[in-house]
Amino acid sequence: MKLVKTKLALLILCMALMLPTLVAGAAPASNSITAASDLRVGFGQLLGEHALLAVLAMQKNYDKAVDYSDTANLLSKNTDQLAAAIASVYGSDAGVTFKSIWSSHIGYLIEYVNATAIKDEAGRAAAVAKLADYRVKQAAFFAVANPDNFKAPAIEEGLNMHIGHLIDSFNAYVNKDYADAYTKARMAYSHMYDTADMLAIGMATQYPDKFSNSSIQSTTVDLRGTLGQVLGEHALLAIVAMQKGIDGKPDFDQAAAALGQNTDDLAAAIAVVYGQDSADAFKPLWASHIGYLFDYVKATAAKDYLSAKQAMDNLDVYRESQAQFFAKANPDFFLEADISKSLKEHINFLLTVFDTYAKNEYSFTYPNVDMAYTHMSKTADALAIGIAAQLPAMFPQVQPPIVTNSVVTFTINSTELDVNGHKLTMDVTPLRKENYTYIPLRYAVDAVGATLSWNEADRSATVTWNGNSATFSLGSDVVVHNSVRKISSATLTLQGDRLVVPVQIFAEVIGWTVDLAEEGKVIRLLAP
């Protein structure tokens, strides 16, 4: 191991005192632990947590659960943290204003829940109207704070998706369509990470002296964000599923299935880095600890203490096997003993949350929910640093795209394309479909100065620019950006014979911003 103690200590100091010491000999790359990348990853962590806590709070309020107020308090703490993050960029007054506006939409969502519970259709409609008003105010807040990079119509569209995901998840829960409820919950969580990317990139562009825009879009930060997103979701979904299990709720199977889908996503991330054979080895191993956690839930419900102890013993065996997997995959930069220690912390957080919940000790439960979630984010940081140190060719220090065109304008249902005032005619038009804005990929790529290649075999298009790449696949919502999977807000489709993509995901991967004008009819891509 190379410079284990010195460089590991530097890594810990840079990331946080709680960061698990998983990485040996990996000096923190200058583009991964920076103010800009921390801003991007931090906003993702907070906004993602907001989404799933909101889903859970709405369910618990509807069910009249005795721990609803504790869930709501944790959601309120998350709001405080978001307001502090805004204040760190725009000042304390902006933080106070943001908190007031942001808190209002949580209140309106609960009003919607309460009206649903008593079948008050007028009350539901009133709550929806208030949420529409909230979107305008929240979008205006960001547009005023950052007029060059945040445009109110684009922000409103994103907030509309966010609120739609939460209400759709809740409605499905009420209608006992639990599979759809958790599908929408996961969409809500993923969308918040996309929103965080947009916000962080806009802030970095606004304040280049404070935030390094070259670091915020590096492949290492992409990896850090992706691992944080998937591992954080794992922690929260595991907590939800364990609660549903001990309570005997009818949606336990669907909550568990959502956790299984999260495992699929984590295995896919492992495959990108270490290959499919490693992913195939990782997946059943990781899934086993979820099974042992569920065994512990069942044993607790049955007051079968011997089986509960057996589940804990199985979790200990799992820890060692999982630590060996990572140490073998990355022997120079992952320390087996410390990975095992970090996994023990992860499991202990989940068991503490569950045990206190089962004993109705909610004042202890929910602070540990927050710690379990945060621990996964910090674990992701350490894993990303180790992987980047091991594979510098895959995760180099990449600059954002440098192109000559600065404004590209599309118009819904129009074949005219404006590139810096130069008019071109397309053979296809942009469109709005199911509240998503799509643009023709070929014309967008040419307009921003990138290159596109089409693979007929798998019906995918790969965009390349300045050492970066992004692969878009027809019929999929997955975009592979510099070897890291990103989830689009909608699937890619065809308009005529042309592949069209959601404008937000295209702008995100190339590092541009989106401005929607004239009620979304005019779409402008703005260079960084």
Side-chain angles (χ1 to χ4, degrees), residues 472-503:
F472 300 79
S473 299
L474 180 63
S476 172
D477 63 354
V478 176
V479 177
V480 180
H481 178 216
N482 290 332
S483 301
V484 177
R485 288 163 51 97
K486 288 182 171 290
I487 305 300
S488 173
S489 56
T491 57
L492 282 58
T493 187
L494 291 175
Q495 171 81 323
D497 294 328
R498 295 289 189 187
L499 181 64
V500 291
V501 301
V503 65

Side-chain angles (χ1 to χ4, degrees), residues 70 352-353 356-357 360-369 371:
D70 300 275
T352 298
V353 169
T356 56
Y357 180 83
N360 301 329
E361 297 173 351
Y362 305 126
S363 62
F364 295 99
T365 300
Y366 286 93
N368 278 282
V369 170
M371 288 189 285

